[in-house]
Short mmCIF file of all heavy atoms in Angstrom, two decimals:
data_model
loop_
_atom_site.label_atom_id
_atom_site.label_comp_id
_atom_site.label_asym_id
_atom_site.label_seq_id
_atom_site.Cartn_x
_atom_site.Cartn_y
_atom_site.Cartn_z
N TYR B 20 59.82 52.75 103.16
CA TYR B 20 58.57 53.43 102.80
C TYR B 20 58.17 53.13 101.35
O TYR B 20 57.03 52.74 101.07
CB TYR B 20 58.73 54.94 103.00
CG TYR B 20 57.66 55.81 102.39
CD1 TYR B 20 56.30 55.58 102.65
CD2 TYR B 20 57.99 56.90 101.58
CE1 TYR B 20 55.31 56.40 102.09
CE2 TYR B 20 57.02 57.72 101.03
CZ TYR B 20 55.68 57.47 101.29
OH TYR B 20 54.71 58.28 100.75
N LEU B 24 54.73 51.22 100.54
CA LEU B 24 53.68 51.97 99.84
C LEU B 24 53.26 51.24 98.56
O LEU B 24 52.07 51.11 98.26
CB LEU B 24 54.20 53.38 99.51
CG LEU B 24 53.19 54.38 98.99
CD1 LEU B 24 52.09 54.62 100.02
CD2 LEU B 24 53.88 55.71 98.65
N LEU B 27 51.16 48.27 99.62
CA LEU B 27 49.82 48.70 100.03
C LEU B 27 48.96 49.09 98.83
O LEU B 27 47.75 48.86 98.81
CB LEU B 27 49.93 49.92 100.96
CG LEU B 27 50.09 49.65 102.44
CD1 LEU B 27 50.43 50.94 103.17
CD2 LEU B 27 48.79 49.07 103.01
N ASN B 31 45.00 48.07 98.34
CA ASN B 31 43.94 49.06 98.52
C ASN B 31 43.97 50.06 97.37
O ASN B 31 44.87 50.90 97.28
CB ASN B 31 44.15 49.78 99.87
CG ASN B 31 43.07 50.81 100.15
OD1 ASN B 31 42.23 51.10 99.29
ND2 ASN B 31 43.11 51.38 101.34
N ILE B 34 44.23 54.02 97.66
CA ILE B 34 45.47 54.74 97.95
C ILE B 34 45.96 55.47 96.70
O ILE B 34 46.09 54.87 95.63
CB ILE B 34 46.55 53.78 98.50
CG1 ILE B 34 46.14 53.34 99.92
CG2 ILE B 34 47.93 54.44 98.51
CD1 ILE B 34 47.08 52.39 100.58
N VAL B 81 42.60 57.68 99.74
CA VAL B 81 43.54 57.70 100.86
C VAL B 81 44.87 58.23 100.33
O VAL B 81 45.73 57.45 99.88
CB VAL B 81 43.73 56.29 101.47
CG1 VAL B 81 44.68 56.33 102.67
CG2 VAL B 81 42.38 55.70 101.87
N PRO B 82 45.03 59.55 100.36
CA PRO B 82 46.26 60.11 99.78
C PRO B 82 47.47 60.07 100.70
O PRO B 82 47.38 60.39 101.89
CB PRO B 82 45.88 61.58 99.48
CG PRO B 82 44.63 61.84 100.22
CD PRO B 82 44.06 60.56 100.75
N PHE B 83 48.59 59.64 100.12
CA PHE B 83 49.91 59.75 100.76
C PHE B 83 50.64 60.83 99.98
O PHE B 83 50.72 60.75 98.75
CB PHE B 83 50.68 58.43 100.64
CG PHE B 83 50.34 57.43 101.71
CD1 PHE B 83 49.12 56.76 101.70
CD2 PHE B 83 51.24 57.16 102.73
CE1 PHE B 83 48.80 55.83 102.68
CE2 PHE B 83 50.94 56.23 103.72
CZ PHE B 83 49.71 55.56 103.71
N ALA B 108 40.93 65.49 107.79
CA ALA B 108 40.96 64.80 106.50
C ALA B 108 41.93 63.62 106.55
O ALA B 108 42.93 63.65 107.26
CB ALA B 108 41.38 65.77 105.41
N ASN B 109 41.62 62.61 105.79
CA ASN B 109 42.38 61.36 105.83
C ASN B 109 43.64 61.42 104.96
O ASN B 109 43.81 60.63 104.03
CB ASN B 109 41.45 60.22 105.39
CG ASN B 109 41.98 58.86 105.79
OD1 ASN B 109 42.81 58.75 106.70
ND2 ASN B 109 41.52 57.82 105.11
N VAL B 110 44.50 62.37 105.27
CA VAL B 110 45.71 62.59 104.47
C VAL B 110 46.94 62.13 105.23
O VAL B 110 47.09 62.42 106.42
CB VAL B 110 45.86 64.09 104.10
CG1 VAL B 110 47.19 64.35 103.41
CG2 VAL B 110 44.70 64.54 103.21
N LYS B 111 47.82 61.40 104.54
CA LYS B 111 49.06 60.91 105.16
C LYS B 111 50.23 61.70 104.57
O LYS B 111 50.45 61.66 103.35
CB LYS B 111 49.27 59.42 104.89
CG LYS B 111 48.00 58.57 104.97
CD LYS B 111 47.31 58.62 106.31
CE LYS B 111 45.90 58.02 106.19
NZ LYS B 111 45.13 58.18 107.45
N ILE B 112 50.92 62.40 105.44
CA ILE B 112 52.07 63.18 105.00
C ILE B 112 53.31 62.39 105.39
O ILE B 112 53.60 62.21 106.57
CB ILE B 112 52.07 64.57 105.69
CG1 ILE B 112 50.78 65.31 105.34
CG2 ILE B 112 53.31 65.38 105.30
CD1 ILE B 112 50.25 66.14 106.47
N VAL B 113 54.02 61.87 104.39
CA VAL B 113 55.22 61.11 104.70
C VAL B 113 56.41 61.93 104.21
O VAL B 113 56.67 62.05 103.01
CB VAL B 113 55.19 59.71 104.07
CG1 VAL B 113 56.44 58.93 104.48
CG2 VAL B 113 53.93 58.96 104.50
N THR B 144 48.55 63.17 114.11
CA THR B 144 49.34 62.08 114.68
C THR B 144 50.75 62.21 114.12
O THR B 144 50.91 62.47 112.91
CB THR B 144 48.72 60.72 114.28
OG1 THR B 144 47.48 60.58 114.96
CG2 THR B 144 49.63 59.55 114.64
N ILE B 146 54.56 60.49 113.76
CA ILE B 146 55.34 59.25 113.90
C ILE B 146 56.76 59.43 113.38
O ILE B 146 56.97 59.99 112.30
CB ILE B 146 54.64 58.10 113.11
CG1 ILE B 146 53.23 57.86 113.66
CG2 ILE B 146 55.48 56.81 113.15
CD1 ILE B 146 52.40 56.88 112.85
N GLU B 153 60.20 49.19 111.38
CA GLU B 153 59.16 49.99 112.02
C GLU B 153 58.48 50.91 111.01
O GLU B 153 57.28 51.19 111.11
CB GLU B 153 59.74 50.81 113.18
CG GLU B 153 58.60 51.42 114.02
CD GLU B 153 59.08 52.29 115.17
OE1 GLU B 153 60.16 52.89 115.09
OE2 GLU B 153 58.34 52.37 116.16
N THR B 154 59.24 51.38 110.04
CA THR B 154 58.65 52.25 109.01
C THR B 154 57.55 51.51 108.26
O THR B 154 56.46 52.04 108.05
CB THR B 154 59.74 52.70 108.01
OG1 THR B 154 60.73 53.43 108.73
CG2 THR B 154 59.14 53.58 106.92
N LYS B 155 57.84 50.27 107.89
CA LYS B 155 56.83 49.48 107.16
C LYS B 155 55.56 49.37 107.99
O LYS B 155 54.45 49.55 107.49
CB LYS B 155 57.37 48.09 106.84
CG LYS B 155 58.44 48.11 105.77
CD LYS B 155 58.90 46.68 105.44
CE LYS B 155 60.25 46.70 104.75
NZ LYS B 155 60.95 45.41 104.84
N GLY B 156 55.73 49.07 109.27
CA GLY B 156 54.57 48.96 110.16
C GLY B 156 53.84 50.28 110.30
O GLY B 156 52.61 50.34 110.30
N ALA B 157 54.61 51.36 110.39
CA ALA B 157 54.00 52.68 110.56
C ALA B 157 53.20 53.09 109.34
O ALA B 157 52.12 53.69 109.45
CB ALA B 157 55.09 53.70 110.85
N ILE B 158 53.70 52.76 108.16
CA ILE B 158 53.00 53.12 106.92
C ILE B 158 51.68 52.34 106.83
O ILE B 158 50.63 52.88 106.47
CB ILE B 158 53.91 52.86 105.69
CG1 ILE B 158 55.14 53.78 105.75
CG2 ILE B 158 53.15 53.04 104.38
CD1 ILE B 158 54.84 55.26 105.87
N ARG B 159 51.74 51.06 107.19
CA ARG B 159 50.52 50.24 107.21
C ARG B 159 49.53 50.80 108.23
O ARG B 159 48.33 50.92 107.95
CB ARG B 159 50.84 48.80 107.60
CG ARG B 159 51.52 48.06 106.50
CD ARG B 159 51.42 46.55 106.61
NE ARG B 159 51.76 46.03 105.30
CZ ARG B 159 50.86 45.75 104.37
NH1 ARG B 159 49.57 45.85 104.62
NH2 ARG B 159 51.23 45.33 103.18
N ALA B 160 50.03 51.15 109.41
CA ALA B 160 49.15 51.67 110.46
C ALA B 160 48.54 53.01 110.04
O ALA B 160 47.36 53.27 110.29
CB ALA B 160 49.94 51.84 111.76
N ALA B 161 49.33 53.82 109.37
CA ALA B 161 48.84 55.13 108.91
C ALA B 161 47.72 54.94 107.89
O ALA B 161 46.71 55.66 107.92
CB ALA B 161 49.99 55.94 108.30
N ALA B 162 47.90 53.95 107.01
CA ALA B 162 46.89 53.70 105.98
C ALA B 162 45.59 53.20 106.63
O ALA B 162 44.49 53.54 106.18
CB ALA B 162 47.41 52.67 104.98
N ALA B 163 45.73 52.42 107.67
CA ALA B 163 44.55 51.84 108.33
C ALA B 163 43.82 52.86 109.22
O ALA B 163 42.61 52.77 109.42
CB ALA B 163 44.97 50.63 109.17
N TYR B 164 44.57 53.83 109.72
CA TYR B 164 44.01 54.84 110.62
C TYR B 164 43.24 55.88 109.82
O TYR B 164 43.63 56.24 108.70
CB TYR B 164 45.17 55.49 111.37
CG TYR B 164 44.83 56.71 112.20
CD1 TYR B 164 44.34 56.57 113.50
CD2 TYR B 164 45.02 58.00 111.69
CE1 TYR B 164 44.04 57.70 114.26
CE2 TYR B 164 44.74 59.12 112.44
CZ TYR B 164 44.24 58.96 113.73
OH TYR B 164 43.95 60.08 114.49
N LYS B 165 42.11 56.37 110.37
CA LYS B 165 41.34 57.38 109.64
C LYS B 165 41.65 58.75 110.22
O LYS B 165 41.25 59.05 111.34
CB LYS B 165 39.84 57.06 109.75
CG LYS B 165 39.10 57.49 108.50
CD LYS B 165 37.71 56.92 108.41
CE LYS B 165 36.80 57.77 107.56
NZ LYS B 165 37.35 58.23 106.29
N GLY B 166 42.36 59.56 109.48
CA GLY B 166 42.70 60.89 109.94
C GLY B 166 44.12 61.28 109.54
O GLY B 166 44.85 60.45 108.97
N PRO B 167 44.49 62.51 109.82
CA PRO B 167 45.80 63.01 109.39
C PRO B 167 46.96 62.38 110.16
O PRO B 167 46.89 62.22 111.37
CB PRO B 167 45.75 64.52 109.68
CG PRO B 167 44.45 64.81 110.32
CD PRO B 167 43.69 63.55 110.52
N VAL B 168 47.99 62.01 109.43
CA VAL B 168 49.19 61.44 110.04
C VAL B 168 50.41 62.09 109.39
O VAL B 168 50.45 62.28 108.17
CB VAL B 168 49.27 59.91 109.81
CG1 VAL B 168 50.54 59.33 110.43
CG2 VAL B 168 48.04 59.20 110.38
N TYR B 169 51.40 62.43 110.22
CA TYR B 169 52.68 62.92 109.73
C TYR B 169 53.74 61.89 110.10
O TYR B 169 53.91 61.57 111.27
CB TYR B 169 53.03 64.27 110.37
CG TYR B 169 54.37 64.84 109.92
CD1 TYR B 169 54.49 65.50 108.70
CD2 TYR B 169 55.51 64.74 110.72
CE1 TYR B 169 55.70 66.04 108.28
CE2 TYR B 169 56.73 65.27 110.30
CZ TYR B 169 56.82 65.92 109.08
OH TYR B 169 58.03 66.45 108.67
N VAL B 170 54.42 61.33 109.09
CA VAL B 170 55.49 60.36 109.34
C VAL B 170 56.80 60.99 108.89
O VAL B 170 56.91 61.46 107.75
CB VAL B 170 55.27 59.03 108.58
CG1 VAL B 170 56.36 58.02 108.95
CG2 VAL B 170 53.90 58.46 108.87
N PHE B 187 53.84 47.33 114.70
CA PHE B 187 53.78 48.74 115.09
C PHE B 187 52.36 49.11 115.46
O PHE B 187 51.41 48.78 114.76
CB PHE B 187 54.26 49.64 113.94
CG PHE B 187 54.12 51.11 114.26
CD1 PHE B 187 55.13 51.79 114.93
CD2 PHE B 187 52.96 51.81 113.91
CE1 PHE B 187 55.00 53.14 115.24
CE2 PHE B 187 52.83 53.16 114.22
CZ PHE B 187 53.85 53.82 114.89
N GLU B 188 52.23 49.82 116.58
CA GLU B 188 50.90 50.29 116.97
C GLU B 188 51.00 51.78 117.23
O GLU B 188 51.88 52.23 117.99
CB GLU B 188 50.48 49.55 118.24
CG GLU B 188 48.99 49.27 118.31
CD GLU B 188 48.63 48.56 119.61
OE1 GLU B 188 49.30 47.54 119.93
OE2 GLU B 188 47.73 49.04 120.31
N ILE B 189 50.12 52.57 116.62
CA ILE B 189 50.14 54.02 116.84
C ILE B 189 49.94 54.31 118.33
O ILE B 189 49.06 53.74 118.97
CB ILE B 189 49.03 54.70 116.01
CG1 ILE B 189 49.35 54.62 114.51
CG2 ILE B 189 48.86 56.18 116.42
CD1 ILE B 189 48.30 55.19 113.58
#
Side-chain angles (χ1 to χ4, degrees):
Chain B
Y20 167 52
L24 190 61
L27 272 170
N31 181 353
I34 290 179
V81 182
F83 276 73
N109 198 21
V110 173
K111 320 301 166 186
I112 301 144
V113 183
T144 291
I146 299 173
E153 191 182 29
T154 299
K155 289 183 199 160
I158 295 305
R159 287 201 163 266
Y164 171 84
K165 212 166 155 45
V168 179
Y169 179 80
V170 184
F187 176 87
E188 214 181 310
I189 291 176

